[in-house]
């Protein structure tokens, strides 16, 4: 919108990453570029083989070697890119649990010891000392901003928060009871129909504008999705508020009265955004990269990520916590429920405890736990039956030998679900909030992929188990 969507005013100054002396441009110069895509300079040099795995094919007794690549940290990687060309073999890895599909310099996770870093910075340090806008800049540009760079970045995001007024009419095409994630997928994907000046993925300036627009507009769309579902008028963004404050106001304010922002709630919302900003090559991030590998515009790619996040196996963990608490019903029933968990009766699970990636304590959980208790105190909801139940469950689980020995500690979803419930978000909005926070991670990963000259269109292989070739049977002869 004119005056609030600075497509032509976004800064042309070089970023920290472009100025950095550590930038390695060798790979970009020696590799064949893809369709004139310009490298921002953040990506590190391509890893080189330093050893090899010797493999013997038992079918013919022939041996061959596969190069081993080393990253900055983490497990070494076996390079199988030439395996099919030289040996006629594919690898088989359903779910890609042991397969690296890309090289990335954004996020690193070591689940065995409970480490999560963004651009080398521990998530605990970022959550305690930075705000969400600073983390966004870090993910996108590769370095923490100076005060001047942060102010300029915040201004660019702030003046992209409004939506084209015609987009608001899209919402009337949805049923009132439509799930907010269905609305998110449709409206975010439709942004490309309005912002043609930022869909050329090979133009670095257009990529930057699209990145800023997505980070800025997704919270506005999310708030509008909520307002539409409850039959209230849309609330426009306000430029003098922070990212989290603006989102809370757009979600909960009404025209009839002034909305007062609780600083404790706003701080907790900001931390939730930080702690969910990026999480390496998960399902939705891989979906964004896969869609982007075809050359699709960034708005379509992020819509694809939102659709993947909607799946209950990915983005619905904190909602599952609230459903579990509802099933338990009262704190007097906790002992019986935990007994079912231990005996695995009816496949009963303790939702919000333990993590598929983190085999130790979730590094985000300690930060979220502190915010959780602050929010409950600030809102005076210590005596809320559901939240009282949650706190009692946390207390028992943290002292129970079974959960300690199995490393079933409360994770970030347990605490974020309680916070969102206390603030007043319905469970249908939980995954939407996840999408708001994760948009910057998706955008950073998409941008990194586009600027990588070695990246190709995603084309997974398969182990075919269907019929072999067989003769066609005319319809009058089929039985």
């Amino acid at each position: 919108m004119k005056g609030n969507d600075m497509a032509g005013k976004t800064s042309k100054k070089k970023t920290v990453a472009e100025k950095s002396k550590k930038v390695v441009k060798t790979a970009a110069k020696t590799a064949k570029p893809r369709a004139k895509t310009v490298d921002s300079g953040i990506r590190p040099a391509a890893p080189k083989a330093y050893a090899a795995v010797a493999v013997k094919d038992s079918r013919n007794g022939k041996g061959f070697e596969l190069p081993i690549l080393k990253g900055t940290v983490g497990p070494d990687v076996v390079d199988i890119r030439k395996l099919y060309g030289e040996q006629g073999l594919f690898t088989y890895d359903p779910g890609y649990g042991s397969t690296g599909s890309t090289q990335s310099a954004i996020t690193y996770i070591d689940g065995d010891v409970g480490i999560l870093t963004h651009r080398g910075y521990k998530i605990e340090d970022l959550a305690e000392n930075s705000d969400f806008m600073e983390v966004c800049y870090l993910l996108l540009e590769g370095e923490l901003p100076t005060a001047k760079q942060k102010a300029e970045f915040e201004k660019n995001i702030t003046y992209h928060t409004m939506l084209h007024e015609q987009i608001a009419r899209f919402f009337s095409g949805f049923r009132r009871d439509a799930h907010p994630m269905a609305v998110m997928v449709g409206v975010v994907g439709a942004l490309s129909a309005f912002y043609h000046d930022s869909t050329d993925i090979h133009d670095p300036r257009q990529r930057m504008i699209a990145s800023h627009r997505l980070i800025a507009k997704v919270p506005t769309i999310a708030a509008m999705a909520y307002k539409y579902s409850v039959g209230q008028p849309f609330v426009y963004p306000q430029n003098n508020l922070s990212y989290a404050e603006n989102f809370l106001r757009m979600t909960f304010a009404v025209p009839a009265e002034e909305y007062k922002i609780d600083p404790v709630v706003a701080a907790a919302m900001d931390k939730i955004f930080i702690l969910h900003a990026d999480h390496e090559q998960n399902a939705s991030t891989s979906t964004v990269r896969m869609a982007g590998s075809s050359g699709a515009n960034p708005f379509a790619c992020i819509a694809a990520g939102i659709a993947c996040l909607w799946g209950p196996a990915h983005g619905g963990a904190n909602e599952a916590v609230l459903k579990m608490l509802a099933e338990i019903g009262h704190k007097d029933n906790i002992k019986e429920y935990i007994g079912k968990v231990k005996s695995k009766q009816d496949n009963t699970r303790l939702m919000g405890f333990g993590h598929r990636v983190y085999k130790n304590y979730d590094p985000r959980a300690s930060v979220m736990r502190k915010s959780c208790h602050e929010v409950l105190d600030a809102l005076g909801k210590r005596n809320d039956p559901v939240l009282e139940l949650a706190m009692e469950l946390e207390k028992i689980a943290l002292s129970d030998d079974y959960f300690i020995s199995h490393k079933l500690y409360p994770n970030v979803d347990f605490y974020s679900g309680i916070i969102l419930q206390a603030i007043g978000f319905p469970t249908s909005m939980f995954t939407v909030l996840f999408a708001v926070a994760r948009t910057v991670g998706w955008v950073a990963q998409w941008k990194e992929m586009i600027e990588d000259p070695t990246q190709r269109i995603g084309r997974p292989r398969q182990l075919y188990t269907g019929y072999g070739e067989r003769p066609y049977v005319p319809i009058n002869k089929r039985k």
Side-chain angles (χ1 to χ4, degrees), residues 391-440:
M391 293 297 97
E392 184 66 20
L393 180 60
E394 175 206 36
K395 179 181 177 182
I396 293 173
L398 286 174
S399 61
D400 191 293
D401 290 338
Y402 175 86
F403 295 103
I404 295 173
S405 62
H406 286 76
K407 297 182 178 179
L408 294 175
Y409 302 108
N411 60 34
V412 68
D413 299 309
F414 179 78
Y415 295 113
S416 63
I418 295 170
I419 291 175
L420 297 178
Q421 169 97 343
I423 292 173
F425 287 102
T427 54
S428 62
M429 280 292 292
F430 285 9
T431 312
V432 175
L433 292 165
F434 197 158
V436 172
R438 186 55 57 85
T439 294
V440 65

Side-chain angles (χ1 to χ4, degrees), residues 147-272:
K148 182 179 179 181
Q149 289 165 336
K150 183 170 184 277
E152 185 176 8
F153 179 73
E154 287 179 334
K155 181 180 178 182
N156 288 334
I157 298 301
T158 298
Y159 284 89
H160 275 303
T161 52
M162 277 184 66
L163 294 170
H164 193 290
E165 192 62 20
Q166 286 183 315
I167 293 177
R169 300 175 191 171
F170 272 36
F171 288 83
S172 61
F174 295 100
R175 285 172 53 112
R176 284 286 180 188
D177 59 354
H179 195 289
M181 284 296 279
V183 177
M184 293 290 291
V185 172
V187 178
V188 172
L191 291 178
S192 58
F194 291 87
Y195 302 107
H196 305 289
D197 60 342
S198 56
T199 57
D200 182 355
I201 65 173
H202 305 301
D203 181 340
R205 177 163 171 74
Q206 290 199 32
R207 289 199 302 271
M208 177 183 66
I209 293 172
S211 299
H212 291 175
R213 278 178 170 157
L214 280 161
I215 295 167
K217 296 181 189 303
V218 166
T220 307
I221 295 170
M224 291 172 76
Y226 172 74
K227 285 297 192 185
Y228 184 75
S229 71
V230 296
Q232 293 181 0
F234 298 145
V235 176
Y236 288 84
Q238 196 164 300
N239 291 349
N240 65 330
L241 298 177
S242 71
Y243 192 87
E245 290 172 341
N246 215 353
F247 177 67
L248 289 168
R249 179 181 172 276
M250 288 190 293
T251 303
F252 295 118
V254 292
E257 60 188 34
E258 181 184 359
Y259 178 71
K260 296 181 179 179
I261 299 169
D262 189 313
V264 175
V265 172
M269 194 80 257
D270 195 73
K271 280 185 169 54
I272 287 176

